[in-house]
Amino acid sequence: MRTALVYHEDMTAARLLWEDPECEIERPERLTAALRRLQQGGLEQRCLQLAPREASEAELGLVHSPEYVSLLRGTQALDTQELRALSGQYDAVYFHPSTFHCARLAVGAALQLVDAVLMGAVHNGLALVRPPGHHSQRAAANGFCVFNNVAIAARHAQQKHGLQRILIVDWDVHHGQGIQYIFEDDPSVLYFSWHRYEHGRFWPYLRESDADAVGQGKGRGFTVNLPWNQVGMGNADYLAAFLHVLLPVAFEFDPELVLVSAGFDSAIGDPEGQMQATPECFGHLTQLLQVLAGGRVCAVLEGGYHLESLSQSVCMVVRALLGDPVPPLSGPMEPHRRYGVGGWGGWVFQAGPCCSCFSLQCPGVHPERPGSPGPSLDQPPAARLHEALAQDTAFTALGKVLHLLKGILDGQVSSGVATTPAAAAMLDVALRCSLSHRAQRVLCVAVGQLDRPPDLANDGRTLWLDIRGKEAAALSPFHVSMPLPGTTGAFLSCVLALVLPLAYGFRPDLVLMVLGPAQGLQEPHAALLAALLRGPAGGRVLVLVEQEPTSQLAGILARVLHGDAPPSLGPFSTAPPEDTQALLYLRGQLEAQWKMLQVAAPS
Ligand code: X5A
Ligand code: ZN
């Protein structure tokens, strides 16, 4: 099985025994609601279910002081008044006689999960735990957190499995200052956190939660804080933060393991966060992280206090971990701070299909309208197609492509790969058939000797991205070309800063990715692109490859579309200045129309 789910009913035992409006939201139903929803969705059964052990005191000692661990051991024998008095010594904490047991199970769950992933029993997984961990410190409980589950798991992965680089992504709406303190001078753990901050006026009210806290000493540059100074951040903001901030840093860091401090108080409906991100967003974030570290992603529950939002978000994370497609993001794809700025630039949308049939016989070529000037090309699409059809193999390929396309558009399969001769002609047919069948909008990502069909309607229903164009050019907001990036760094910038922002902003119903002849992409790059293009259209991707007979590319792409992690990109190499210039130029040309391209500042 691919995904582990670690849970133990005992972790529902701890609960608040007195009145405390601040702490009452952290209750046992958080776990039972999330688990019930996983069961109802048939997701729990698809996971390898692991029952956690209690972490040993030596394991707690990887992060916490012996005195603090002893103090916690002692809480098991305290009465309610004593527990209340001790709780009062910490900020936003309550203890229960079962707290020590629960908290050791929570750490143990994170450790079991990391062991299962690093020993290869599963690819990834989720630990559903209470109490949460990311606020807890070497000798202090804080913010409902007792032991720092994720920090201990990171130290364990280093010590027991010899890992050198671990990425911790903290998408909880609070700053995990506990994790930051533990790793602030350690370059082997890269800590990323976004959090509600409001210029320091939101709990835990710390100066060091701001963006200028970047780590210390050798760890300088290995803490990344993204404070939100307003509430109401939504899908576009979270996605933009991943594409423009986290992922560029994370790819360069090249982690061997990704730990997620998976709090869902950053989701819509949560009383703590007051944010707007919908549950699917967490599926997309999970999908994005799975292209790192060979897909070794371990998510550990932190906060999340709106039971319905929490449960739905947990389901989306598990769906993404299982490799299922994630529903497309809803809401406007405009990062928050830009609301009210600019507009759509007067681009005219025209409706209307270009051909009205869809069947395996459909040639996909629009019959010329009387009176309209015919295509003025040496080789119009129909001619190219007929030339391709002159070969038997091409005819078979056309049937194959159309069959796959129909399967995708009818929802029988989510994605497909076809090897084909004459990829340009096939793309032409596939594009026209999808637009006339079920797809409102189709994203074409073309690599290698594939010109945009010149007679294609410029009606905003097709977004054409040519990432092996002759030059960087935005011929229209829906026709963008970019020279093939020369290095891994340049390729990543192109995908993260251009292709995906456009792709998500366009909200396609289908993605056509086409690798034409002499496309020149390295296999890991092509695989990464395919993996990331699963996001924008809810997994509906058709890849057409015109490949050498000996190439393994189609097989790799098929696995990636299935949800497997793409192969490693190899050593990172910085983008050459001309590639960076090209991207900046395109951003300048396009950001008025495509808000997902906007970033705060080039620096
Ligand atoms: C894990 C977590 C929040 C504590 C809030 C205290 N803690 N006001 O979400
Ligand atoms: Zn939180």
Side-chain angles (χ1 to χ4, degrees):
M1 263 182 277
R2 173 188 163 101
T3 299
L5 181 67
V6 196
Y7 172 78
H8 198 295
E9 203 190 320
D10 282 6
M11 287 185 285
T12 60
R15 59 190 174 87
L16 183 63
L17 296 174
W18 53 86
E19 286 266 300
D20 181 344
E22 189 175 17
C23 291
E24 70 189 7
I25 55 176
E26 203 296 289
R27 39 199 190 101
E29 292 74 24
R30 298 177 58 234
L31 286 193
T32 48
L35 191 74
R36 191 175 327 116
R37 188 54 76 90
L38 285 173
Q39 286 163 345
Q40 285 167 349
L43 295 165
E44 185 209 33
Q45 301 86 305
R46 295 173 56 201
C47 296
L48 177 68
Q49 294 172 51
L50 298 176
R53 56 182 174 86
E54 290 189 323
S56 68
E57 296 209 359
E59 287 164 336
L60 301 177
L62 290 169
V63 159
H64 299 285
S65 71
E67 298 75 24
Y68 178 65
V69 174
S70 303
L71 179 77
L72 260 296
R73 194 189 313 115
T75 60
Q76 299 176 98
L78 300 183
D79 66 26
T80 303
Q81 285 318 309
E82 293 165 325
L83 287 167
R84 186 172 186 170
L86 183 64
S87 303
Q89 299 191 12
Y90 301 104
D91 185 7
V93 169
Y94 69 87
F95 294 120
H96 178 273
S98 72
T99 290
F100 186 62
H101 176 55
C102 292
R104 282 175 67 184
L105 280 176
V107 175
L111 297 180
Q112 296 264 99
L113 177 55
V114 163
D115 285 339
V117 166
L118 293 179
M119 294 187 320
V122 287
H123 292 283
N124 56 41
L126 170 70
L128 281 180
V129 303
R130 288 178 65 240
H134 70 151
H135 298 302
S136 111
Q137 298 149 39
R138 179 170 163 78
N142 181 278
F144 319 151
C145 299
V146 176
F147 298 129
N148 203 313
N149 310 317
V150 165
I152 297 169
R155 285 275 180 253
H156 172 84
Q158 294 180 320
Q159 301 213 339
K160 287 276 152 25
H161 300 274
L163 296 203
Q164 318 250 309
R165 291 178 312 281
I166 297 170
L167 170 65
I168 299 178
V169 176
D170 188 340
W171 71 43
D172 187 283
V173 87
H174 301 97
H175 181 216
Q177 85 279 34
I179 302 182
Q180 176 169 311
Y181 298 154
I182 292 159
F183 298 110
E184 63 192 346
D185 52 13
D186 185 344
S188 67
V189 176
L190 174 53
Y191 177 62
F192 170 89
S193 174
W194 64 37
H195 33 269
R196 180 172 171 188
Y197 188 57
E198 297 176 292
H199 304 283
R201 288 188 290 274
F202 187 69
W203 191 92
Y205 316 105
L206 298 170
R207 177 70 188 81
E208 62 269 29
S209 305
D210 209 348
D212 58 355
V214 296
Q216 295 171 8
K218 288 207 166 80
R220 199 177 151 79
F222 295 85
T223 295
V224 180
N225 281 331
L226 202 168
W228 301 119
N229 286 318
Q230 292 171 53
V231 297
M233 296 299 151
N235 296 345
D237 303 285
Y238 287 4
L239 185 63
F242 265 47
L243 297 181
H244 295 303
V245 182
L246 171 62
L247 290 175
V249 174
F251 270 106
E252 187 162 350
F253 181 65
D254 190 24
E256 300 157 300
L257 174 69
V258 179
L259 298 175
V260 185
S261 268
F264 299 97
D265 40 17
S266 46
I268 189 164
D270 193 280
E272 279 286 306
Q274 306 284 324
M275 297 299 181
Q276 294 288 331
T278 57
E280 316 85 69
C281 189
F282 295 90
H284 286 266
L285 302 180
T286 305
Q287 239 175 24
L288 289 170
L289 294 179
Q290 283 179 279
V291 301
L292 298 162
R296 286 181 289 274
V297 174
C298 297
V300 181
L301 182 67
E302 299 279 2
Y305 308 101
H306 185 287
L307 297 186
E308 181 63 21
S309 183
L310 165 69
S311 308
Q312 286 189 30
S313 302
V314 163
C315 286
M316 289 297 169
V317 168
V318 171
R319 281 168 66 165
L321 290 174
L322 285 165
D324 292 359
V326 176
L329 289 176
S330 52
M333 275 296 131
E334 275 188 45
H336 192 82
R337 70 188 70 193
R338 305 288 177 167
Y339 275 138
V341 178
W344 279 86
W347 191 256
V348 181
F349 288 82
Q350 298 161 354
C354 71
C355 89
S356 52
C357 64
F358 184 88
S359 73
L360 292 183
Q361 282 77 45
C362 168
V365 179
H366 186 54
E368 277 170 37
R369 288 202 191 109
S372 71
S376 60
L377 288 160
D378 342 345
Q379 226 193 11
R384 277 189 271 152
L385 178 68
H386 287 139
E387 187 182 273
L389 287 181
Q391 307 162 343
D392 250 17
T393 49
F395 191 72
T396 313
L398 177 65
K400 192 165 68 176
V401 167
L402 291 176
H403 185 66
L404 259 178
L405 184 64
K406 185 165 159 50
I408 294 170
L409 293 173
D410 290 348
Q412 285 141 352
V413 292
S414 63
S415 60
V417 184
T419 56
T420 172
M426 296 297 165
L427 169 59
D428 199 317
V429 177
L431 176 56
R432 286 162 209 268
C433 282
S434 1
L435 287 169
S436 66
H437 190 51
R438 206 157 275 187
Q440 257 315 300
R441 285 177 302 280
V442 179
L443 168 65
C444 292
V445 179
V447 194
Q449 291 174 23
L450 298 158
D451 293 334
R452 181 178 185 276
D455 63 329
L456 197 67
N458 222 338
D459 56 2
R461 292 183 62 204
T462 308
L463 170 57
W464 187 278
L465 302 181
D466 180 358
I467 57 174
R468 215 211 153 176
K470 290 180 195 67
E471 54 179 3
L475 294 122
S476 85
F478 298 95
H479 184 186
V480 178
S481 106
M482 159 85 206
L484 187 71
T487 61
T488 295
F491 177 75
L492 284 168
S493 301
C494 173
V495 172
L496 299 175
L498 184 72
V499 175
L500 289 179
L502 292 176
Y504 272 99
F506 183 55
R507 309 164 165 289
D509 302 300
L510 173 73
V511 176
L512 295 173
M513 171 175 160
V514 190
L515 302 172
Q519 43 88 10
L521 269 192
Q522 296 168 27
E523 276 182 3
H525 290 182
L528 176 68
L529 183 60
L532 291 170
L533 286 173
R534 294 179 77 217
R540 280 184 298 277
V541 182
L542 175 58
V543 182
L544 305 179
V545 197
E546 187 167 343
Q547 71 178 6
E548 304 293 317
T550 55
S551 167
Q552 303 293 302
L553 186 55
I556 295 171
L557 294 171
R559 285 194 293 278
V560 159
L561 290 180
H562 218 85
D564 282 5
S568 156
L569 295 182
F572 184 86
S573 47
T574 319
E578 60 273 20
D579 284 346
T580 306
Q581 280 310 311
L583 281 174
L584 286 172
Y585 167 76
L586 287 175
R587 186 203 288 169
Q589 295 287 299
L590 292 161
E591 72 181 344
Q593 279 90 4
W594 300 103
K595 308 286 195 245
M596 285 298 297
L597 291 173
Q598 295 176 345
V599 288
S603 63

